[in-house]
Amino acid sequence: MPLRSYLRARPAMWALPVTTVLVILYVRSWPPADDEYGLSHWAHGLSTVYLLGPVAAGFAAWELGRLRAARVLEAPNVRSPFRVAATPLLAVVGAAWLAMLVAVLAVGVTGLPPLTLLAAPFGAVLALTAVGALLGATTRLVVAVPVAFLGSYLWMVLPMGAEPLWLRHLTGHWSSCCVIGTEVAPEATVGALLVDLAVVACCGLLLLRRRSAVVAGTALLVLAVGAAGGVLSVRHLGPDPVRPRQDALLCRTVDGVRACVWPEHRARLTEVSDVAAAAANAWETYGLTPPTAFTEGVSQAPAQVTFGFRGDATAADLARSVSVAVLPPFPACAATSPWPAYDLQPYLAAWLVAATGLADPFPGTEPAVRDTVSALRSRPVSEQATWAHDAVAALAGCDSAGPAVRR
Amino acid sequence: VTWWLRVRRWRAALGSAVVSALLVGAAGGHGVAIPTLLGGGLVPVPAAFIAPLVGVIGLAYALENGDHRLAAVSVRPVRGWDAAYAAVLTGVVLAGCAVCALTSSPETGLAGARNTIGYAALCLAVRARAATLAAVVPAAWAVAASAMGRSGEHVAFWAWPVAPAGDAVSWAWVVIALMAAVLLNSERRRR
């Protein structure tokens, strides 16, 4: 029976389903980077490439090692050696890709991901399979399989804890992608794909003409160019392969205060905009100038502030979030000189929340903050306004320790 | 002996053992962040726990060479030489573990030594039944242990490659692997 023979001859066909069970265990036991963001679910499922890629590399080495031991590739064939080698390798790659998609389904994804996210892990499987195939075709099975498996595994996991931080983007193992305000940076995809394509081309050239110095030199040149291109593409990225999200925000204006949220928080837009407007009105009674817009995206103007919340946040959580958002940002001078007002932040944050009247300002705060702000709130509005103005001014610079009312 | 050493690829085998020893000695105490399948993100595994596999791959390669049917009927004690050869190569890697123990952490060096002996014994045991898998099984065991054998501070009973040096069960696994290696290789000789 052809199918039975095929399955018996291809250990990847029965071993990769076992690996699939393991990766399902993996994705189900560890939450995505942001469990309310569809892209994060996809990235979580696709991060199983760190295990499936090395397994595919090991099986590719096994398959090509068998062909090498039987001298099949050197024998006169009706089909070209490339096609003979490609048949088992395509089965390995296909099984690994399928296992990755099963892991994605196990996470519970919705919608389709961008190609920028899909391309890198799928390309990584292809590249590692090519490396395994080259090892299998050139060295003994006893060495090729463990070296392909272990080497690929270390390539996948070592950069995660190594510097420079952008090195990890080249592997296609993007487990830290993406929180709700970010999306995959195209540069990361380009970098990973350049490395993958260079590896595939290098291995392909070496497989086709192993004993030619010219081909070997060309293959190494291709690899070096691909690696350099990959590095140039990702080297300006931080620890995550992301950029600010480009989607359209959903906005609503209440009493001149605009609130903008990501589509995932569409259901909370009305409540958020009401809370933002109520908070802004409350702060105005103390003479403060509230922002004109609260956005989950990147702030585009000084009068806009960035805030964030989870989809299951309560109204009190929203009030705390918009209050913390209006704290003065870290001043530039603090990078080079002392910032005496830094410890005012929790006091001002608690006062801002209390001033909105929408939430308990003190859950989890230190007793000193709670006592001080409680005492402050019992004073006349004018005194509170003066304190708040002084605190905001002090936090915005490095010249003053701010009002004495603390601790 | 000269020819036997050549057939057993002593340069490649010794080279891999030296590389393994250098890796263990120089970087054995450094943690390699490895994702765990049981949740909890990345867990650091000392390089000394994994680096001995380089030497074991060299050992498997060296012992696979030669005609084993001829060796089985040889007048010379080839089996004994193979055992001594494996012991010497393992000893080279153990020297790296000693350096790691002296310069980095005694516990990490000791655990690295345990893993070196365990991987080598497992390699020899598997080699008696399936020579091509001799190095695959220790490598797969090490990866499986690092990926699935730990959850927080808890180490599964079978995950000896990532257990701390003071874990008695992990040493028991190594003893079992050694006994299996001796028994399985002796059995083949009788045949």
Side-chain angles (χ1 to χ4, degrees):
Chain A
M1 189 178 176
L3 180 62
R4 198 171 146 197
S5 303
Y6 189 82
L7 292 176
R8 283 179 61 190
R10 311 251 178 278
M13 291 297 100
W14 52 263
L16 273 167
V18 176
T19 314
T20 307
V21 173
L22 293 179
V23 295
I24 289 173
L25 176 72
Y26 168 70
V27 296
R28 303 283 295 181
S29 65
W30 191 9
D34 188 336
D35 60 6
E36 54 186 357
Y37 186 27
L39 191 65
S40 183
H41 283 86
W42 272 96
H44 187 51
L46 294 172
S47 72
T48 52
V49 68
Y50 95 90
L51 197 61
L52 291 168
V55 169
F59 281 117
W62 178 267
E63 297 288 1
L64 267 280
R66 288 174 66 236
L67 297 182
R68 174 183 179 271
R71 298 183 184 279
V72 169
L73 298 176
E74 297 155 21
N77 280 305
V78 176
R79 295 183 299 165
S80 70
F82 183 77
R83 281 189 64 189
V84 171
T87 304
L89 294 182
L90 284 178
V92 171
V93 170
W97 283 355
L98 190 63
M100 213 149 56
L101 288 176
V102 170
V104 165
L105 291 175
V107 180
V109 294
T110 51
L112 288 173
L115 278 177
T116 47
L117 179 63
L118 280 179
F122 279 70
V125 168
L126 204 60
L128 296 180
T129 302
V131 171
L134 178 64
L135 282 166
T138 52
T139 55
R140 292 192 175 204
L141 268 180
V142 70
V143 174
V145 178
V147 168
F149 174 63
L150 206 59
S152 304
Y153 182 72
L154 292 177
W155 163 244
M156 279 290 168
V157 301
L158 281 183
M160 294 177 72
E163 291 200 28
L165 296 174
W166 47 256
L167 186 62
R168 64 188 66 178
H169 308 327
L170 297 176
T171 66
H173 175 208
W174 296 343
S175 57
S176 60
C177 170
C178 305
V179 291
I180 198 164
T182 60
E183 64 183 16
V184 175
E187 304 93 309
T189 308
V190 170
L193 280 183
L194 278 174
V195 172
D196 293 340
L197 290 175
V199 168
V200 170
C202 173
C203 293
L205 284 169
L206 291 174
L207 275 170
L208 287 175
R209 294 288 299 275
R210 264 175 272 161
R211 292 189 177 83
S212 164
V214 175
V215 171
T218 309
L220 289 178
L221 186 66
V222 167
L223 185 63
V225 169
V231 167
L232 287 174
S233 186
V234 302
R235 67 182 175 142
H236 67 279
L237 294 174
D240 300 318
V242 297
R243 67 176 182 182
R245 193 171 168 184
Q246 311 289 307
D247 282 16
L249 289 153
L250 304 173
C251 299
R252 181 169 179 256
T253 304
V254 176
D255 294 342
V257 179
R258 189 175 170 84
C260 297
V261 300
W262 295 118
E264 287 76 11
H265 293 153
R266 178 193 307 267
R268 307 298 302 275
L269 177 59
T270 304
E271 191 181 359
V272 167
S273 52
D274 289 344
V275 166
N281 288 335
W283 296 326
E284 271 183 327
T285 61
Y286 293 93
L288 296 175
T289 307
T292 56
F294 293 83
T295 176
E296 282 199 289
V298 177
S299 169
Q300 304 288 345
Q304 287 187 357
V305 294
T306 300
F307 79 121
F309 62 95
R310 286 189 51 81
D312 56 359
T314 62
D317 294 332
L318 296 176
R320 290 188 199 101
S321 179
V322 295
S323 301
V324 170
V326 300
L327 285 174
F330 190 74
C333 60
T336 53
S337 57
W339 186 27
Y342 79 96
D343 63 345
L344 260 179
Q345 275 190 327
Y347 294 87
L348 182 58
W351 182 85
L352 286 166
V353 177
T356 65
L358 298 171
D360 173 10
F362 306 121
T365 52
E366 291 177 20
V369 175
R370 187 177 59 236
D371 297 344
T372 303
V373 175
S374 294
L376 185 63
R377 289 287 297 155
S378 63
R379 294 186 188 179
V381 168
S382 58
E383 274 190 44
Q384 290 186 55
T386 304
W387 181 89
H389 272 282
D390 292 350
V392 168
L395 280 167
C398 301
D399 304 326
S400 162
V405 184
R406 72 173 96 154
R407 266 182 270 235
Chain B
V1 174
T2 306
W3 281 107
W4 171 81
L5 277 173
R6 283 188 185 180
V7 168
R8 291 290 188 261
R9 302 288 196 274
W10 70 274
R11 287 191 187 89
L14 190 62
S16 69
V18 168
V19 167
S20 186
L22 288 174
L23 283 173
V24 175
H30 290 275
V32 178
I34 288 181
T36 165
L37 288 174
L38 305 179
L42 302 172
V43 180
V45 174
F49 287 21
I50 299 171
L53 286 168
V54 176
V56 169
I57 292 171
L59 171 66
Y61 170 67
L63 294 182
E64 202 217 3
N65 284 285
D67 189 328
H68 298 290
R69 284 174 301 178
L70 276 180
V73 295
S74 170
V75 174
R76 293 186 177 87
V78 176
R79 299 286 170 209
W81 293 353
D82 279 349
Y85 187 50
V88 168
L89 292 176
T90 307
V92 172
V93 184
L94 288 176
C97 297
V99 173
C100 175
L102 292 172
T103 59
S104 178
S105 152
E107 189 177 335
T108 305
L110 189 59
R114 175 203 60 203
N115 287 10
T116 303
I117 299 168
Y119 294 148
L122 199 57
C123 168
L124 294 173
V126 174
R127 173 180 168 265
R129 285 285 181 271
T132 50
L133 296 179
V136 176
V137 173
W141 200 313
V143 169
S146 63
M148 293 180 288
R150 293 164 309 157
S151 179
E153 292 297 309
H154 174 71
V155 177
F157 75 97
W158 55 270
W160 57 269
V162 293
D167 186 280
V169 178
S170 67
W171 287 96
W173 275 101
V174 172
V175 172
I176 291 169
L178 271 172
M179 288 166 61
V182 171
L183 283 173
L184 290 172
N185 285 284
S186 306
E187 183 190 56
R188 198 165 71 150
R189 186 180 184 183
R190 278 201 299 274
R191 277 189 290 165

